[in-house]
């Protein structure tokens, strides 16, 4: 009899990862907030994945942390809504002009390799900490601390890629939201 030792695929985690991986380099403030939301889904899926392992001592902590990611997502959505209201107000106050994206296609082409590398590194780190928790090499608390540190670092680095103040501010907002919930 042949034993199947292939790991079970967690489709929720896989879908969340694919969503995060497919998020293009932002050209607008709204894109920055969308990136933040997509990463919250990705992180929340990791905590749910660990909770599904049915380890009594970690299950409730993981569920709480997954729910916390959705609270952070709501705060990001609120910041995005505020920014959208500012943009709409500008649109109406200036007679409905076409509003150009603050980051040009040429600039995106220039910084995309750096953006992609930062995203890849963060997602690899997320894989690593998830595996360490699964193997009992890291606690849920250590996982949370590591994810917060890595995410804040990545948002800071991403903000530094952009010369446009409103883009930098959006990344700074993501850092502040994350820091205030850590």
């Amino acid at each position: 009899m042949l034993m199947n030792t292939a790991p079970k695929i967690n489709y929720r985690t896989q879908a969340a990862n694919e969503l995060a991986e497919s998020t293009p380099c932002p050209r607008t403030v709204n894109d920055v907030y969308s990136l933040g939301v997509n990463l919250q889904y990705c992180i929340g899926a990791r905590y749910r994945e660990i909770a599904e392992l049915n380890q009594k001592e970690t299950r409730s902590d993981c569920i709480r942390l997954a729910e916390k990611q959705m609270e952070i997502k709501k705060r990001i959505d609120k910041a995005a809504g505020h920014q959208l209201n500012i943009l709409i107000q500008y649109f109406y106050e200036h007679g409905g002009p076409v509003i150009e994206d603050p980051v040009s296609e040429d600039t995106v082409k220039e910084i995309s390799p750096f953006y992609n590398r930062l995203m890849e590194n963060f997602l690899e780190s997320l894989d690593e900490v998830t595996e360490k928790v699964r193997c009992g090499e890291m606690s849920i608390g250590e996982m949370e601390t590591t994810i917060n540190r890595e995410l804040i670092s990545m948002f800071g680095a991403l903000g530094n890629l952009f010369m446009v103040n409103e883009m930098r501010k959006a990344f700074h907002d993501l850092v502040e939201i994350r820091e205030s919930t850590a």
Side-chain angles (χ1 to χ4, degrees):
M1 184 166 140
L2 197 59
M3 291 184 64
N4 185 358
T5 58
K8 182 181 171 193
I9 297 173
N10 186 309
Y11 291 103
R12 181 185 310 131
T13 300
Q14 183 179 1
N17 271 2
E18 288 173 2
L19 178 64
E21 289 169 351
S22 67
T23 304
C25 184
R27 289 191 62 197
T28 67
V29 170
N30 189 50
D31 292 346
V32 173
Y33 292 123
S34 292
L35 168 65
V37 166
N38 290 346
L39 288 171
Q40 290 311 124
Y41 283 122
C42 190
I43 295 165
R46 294 309 177 102
Y47 286 125
R48 284 185 190 86
E49 178 182 334
I50 294 169
E52 290 170 3
L53 296 175
N54 292 324
Q55 297 173 338
K56 290 179 184 178
E57 66 276 0
T58 60
R59 184 173 176 80
S60 62
D61 285 340
C62 287
I63 291 169
R64 177 186 57 78
L65 289 169
E67 290 169 353
K68 182 178 179 181
Q69 303 318 302
M70 294 306 100
E71 290 302 315
I72 294 170
K73 177 213 160 289
K74 287 178 186 175
R75 292 186 62 189
I76 294 171
D77 284 339
K78 184 177 178 181
H82 175 72
Q83 192 61 39
L84 183 59
N85 287 336
I86 291 170
L87 189 61
I88 290 170
Q89 181 179 356
Y90 175 87
F91 178 81
Y92 285 116
E93 287 176 355
H94 292 87
V98 174
I99 300 173
E100 298 290 328
D101 291 339
V103 180
S104 71
E105 285 185 41
D106 289 340
T107 301
V108 166
K109 286 179 187 174
E110 200 175 292
I111 63 177
S112 279
F114 301 104
Y115 166 83
N116 292 334
R117 175 60 56 109
L118 289 165
M119 284 294 293
E120 286 171 15
N121 288 344
F122 175 75
L123 294 172
E124 284 175 16
S125 173
L126 197 54
D127 286 341
E128 290 170 8
V129 296
T130 302
E131 188 59 28
K132 285 182 179 181
V133 170
R134 266 200 232 138
C135 294
E137 298 171 11
M138 180 182 273
S139 72
I140 294 301
E142 291 170 318
M143 179 181 183
E144 179 185 24
T145 300
T146 301
I147 289 171
N148 284 336
R149 183 183 65 240
E150 295 289 325
L151 194 56
I152 288 168
S153 174
M154 181 184 72
F155 286 151
L158 287 173
N160 289 336
L161 289 176
F162 295 89
M163 296 297 134
V164 179
N165 284 338
E166 62 191 273
M167 296 292 283
R168 285 178 180 243
K169 183 186 178 319
F171 279 110
H172 181 74
D173 288 349
L174 293 178
V175 168
E176 283 186 343
I177 289 169
R178 197 73 199 186
E179 286 177 338
S180 71
T181 60

